[in-house]
Amino acid sequence: MSQEQKSQEQKTLDDMEDGSNRRRPPGRRSRLRRLSDWLTRHLERGTIPAVPLMILLAACIGALAAGGAALFTILIDFFTDTTLRPVLSLTGQHPGWWIALCGVPAAGLLAVSWFTRRFAPEAEGHGVPEVITAVARKDGVIRPRVAIVKILASGLCIGTGGSIGREGPIVQIGSSLGSVA
């Protein structure tokens, strides 16, 4: 390789590190540009092929379900910090607080029972069987209200010491959000 070719190659490498003078060979477009052109072409026609549409919808529903699960976890921590932990910290000071500690989950269950029966009766239960029932008997339709009620009610139940798991409510929350789409 001659000295002139080496200096030209070094100049090209230096330019690429700066981000300046970066050139693509003729006829090559970036992936983002190709995707943008493809999407524009199909949106102008009013048709998007089924597989990319399903992938896009699945990604959006997955992101919404992840947001619902994160909100659910934050609510559990909030309810635990405001109901259970203060009473638990007082149990060491006086033995009478142990009775109050037993009453916190009972009060939480009463509040959850009233809340779910009042606003969304289909949010009662574990979550997964309700989703299966909705898919089998109601064409997969779950009211959006169920997601909100399930987040609040299950967060309160777990946060006050109730013995339910997180997985079932998260399934029902995600399914409710997916049903809206």
Side-chain angles (χ1 to χ4, degrees), residues 36-163:
S36 173
D37 290 347
W38 179 86
L39 190 59
T40 303
R41 186 173 55 248
H42 283 288
L43 286 176
E44 286 173 353
R45 289 185 206 158
T47 60
I48 296 179
V51 172
L53 181 63
M54 284 298 246
I55 291 171
L56 181 65
L57 283 175
C60 291
I61 291 168
L64 286 173
L71 179 63
F72 181 56
T73 304
I74 290 168
L75 272 172
I76 290 171
D77 291 339
F78 171 75
F79 285 127
T80 301
D81 290 342
T82 56
T83 59
L84 205 54
R85 285 205 177 102
V87 176
L88 191 59
S89 66
L90 293 172
T91 56
Q93 297 173 1
H94 191 274
W97 284 102
W98 283 101
I99 296 170
L101 184 62
C102 294
V104 171
L109 286 173
L110 285 173
V112 166
S113 177
W114 174 82
F115 187 69
T116 53
R117 287 178 189 209
R118 171 77 172 97
F119 295 107
E122 64 269 28
E124 291 179 354
H126 300 289
V128 177
E130 287 78 12
V131 170
I132 292 171
T133 301
V135 169
R137 296 187 180 155
K138 300 176 186 173
D139 293 330
V141 176
I142 302 173
R143 295 190 307 168
R145 176 188 295 191
V146 172
I148 297 166
V149 170
K150 195 68 172 182
I151 287 173
L152 293 173
S154 298
L156 179 62
C157 186
I158 295 172
T160 57
S163 60

